[in-house]
Amino acid sequence: MSRKIAFVASDTTIAQAAHDELVARYGNVAEEEADIIVALGGDGFMLHTLHNTQHLPAPVYGMNCGTVGFLMNEYAPEGLIDRLIVAEEEVINPLSMRAESADGTVHEALAINEVSLLRAGPQAAKLQISVDGRVRLDELVCDGALLCTPAGSTAYNYSAHGPILPIGSDVLALTAMAAFRPRRWRGALLPKNAVVRFDVLQPDKRPVMADADSRSVPNVVSVEIRSCSDIAHRILFDPGHGLEERLIREQFV
């Protein structure tokens, strides 16, 4: 079975060399004409590719030319067509962020991994957290907080001691970074359809920035986040090495 492949690569020397080798072996078509898009790089480039191609029907198959490569498959130039034929598909819905800056400007962005709020000054941030229009935490004093998808739960969320979520679960993880008050608050698990709002308290004294998959907004006063069910990112994995297996494996290392 023929496959029209579009190869895209990060700017690193390793990824560019892999791109040239694979194009020489398998040819290359424009992303708009491809049956499958093959992304060469690390997880950051994979996120970049998913965002850039979300309007296209082709799924994305990543090959690791970076470091961790949680969203990537092992790089090997041989037998790529056979690997693509048997690859297993995972579908991920991103988060939608609507952030309002202190000057009244509204910024919108999508995040496949997480939306995070981080202190932007020497003092801890003070955040009020609401879920579906109801205030659930009057004041969280912390270095920051994030809301993540199951796919993103092994990234920043896991480093902040948040839970790993099974892929496909209709749950989002809300996790604090270095919470000072309430000191024992360990975050929350929320339904996927929940609308989460952060209001920044004392934004002039305690400035906060918001970040959606490395798209940053400085000096925010409020951030509203919800799951974007009308956008589906299709990611391909080698059999037995999909996100579900990786999420389980991460919990036993």
Side-chain angles (χ1 to χ4, degrees):
M1 185 181 299
S2 63
R3 288 286 191 275
K4 292 185 291 184
I5 306 172
F7 291 100
V8 295
S10 70
D11 294 332
T12 67
T13 301
I14 295 175
Q16 288 295 315
H19 176 272
D20 293 344
E21 180 178 11
L22 292 171
V23 168
R25 282 176 178 255
Y26 301 103
N28 196 29
V29 302
E31 295 170 18
E32 292 76 14
E33 302 172 9
D35 297 317
I36 296 174
I37 297 168
V38 174
L40 306 167
D43 284 337
F45 184 72
M46 183 61 160
L47 294 176
H48 173 79
T49 302
L50 291 171
H51 283 297
N52 283 351
T53 62
Q54 68 185 37
H55 62 291
L56 300 176
V60 179
Y61 177 91
M63 298 182 79
N64 189 23
C65 298
T67 51
V68 178
F70 183 78
L71 296 173
M72 316 299 280
N73 299 284
E74 181 182 356
Y75 178 76
E78 301 83 9
L80 177 59
I81 300 300
D82 291 337
R83 291 171 70 182
L84 295 178
I85 290 173
V86 299
E88 300 172 347
E89 182 176 297
E90 304 277 8
V91 178
I92 298 172
N93 300 118
L95 298 173
S96 171
M97 177 186 79
R98 185 181 187 276
E100 183 178 350
S101 297
D103 63 2
T105 305
V106 174
H107 307 262
E108 297 184 349
L110 297 175
I112 296 167
N113 272 359
E114 77 278 319
V115 174
S116 56
L117 282 78
L118 303 165
R119 76 176 194 181
Q123 291 185 295
K126 285 190 175 183
L127 306 173
Q128 184 182 82
I129 302 176
S130 302
V131 180
D132 294 330
R134 180 177 174 183
V135 176
R136 292 292 185 175
L137 196 57
D138 289 319
E139 183 180 275
L140 172 65
V141 183
C142 57
D143 279 353
L146 63 83
L147 186 72
C148 77
T149 66
S153 64
T154 59
Y156 195 2
N157 171 73
Y158 192 38
S159 298
H161 306 291
I164 292 180
L165 305 177
I167 195 68
S169 61
D170 292 330
V171 177
L172 304 174
L174 173 58
T175 301
M177 285 86 84
F180 176 71
R181 191 167 54 242
R183 191 177 296 275
R184 297 186 182 278
W185 192 67
R186 293 292 180 262
L189 296 177
L190 302 174
K192 184 179 180 179
N193 61 358
V195 178
V196 179
R197 178 184 172 95
F198 296 93
D199 286 287
V200 180
L201 308 179
Q202 302 177 4
D204 293 332
K205 182 181 179 182
R206 303 169 183 269
V208 170
M209 63 169 285
D211 186 281
D213 281 356
S214 299
R215 293 167 172 82
S216 298
V217 181
N219 299 319
V220 296
V221 294
S222 68
V223 177
E224 189 171 276
I225 311 163
R226 66 184 70 211
S227 182
C228 195
S229 59
D230 58 331
I231 297 177
H233 296 288
R234 300 168 60 204
I235 309 178
L236 299 177
F237 291 98
D238 293 332
H241 297 279
L243 279 181
E244 183 172 348
E245 166 61 23
R246 294 176 188 212
L247 289 168
I248 293 173
R249 191 170 63 223
E250 281 291 318
Q251 297 175 82
F252 292 92
V253 296

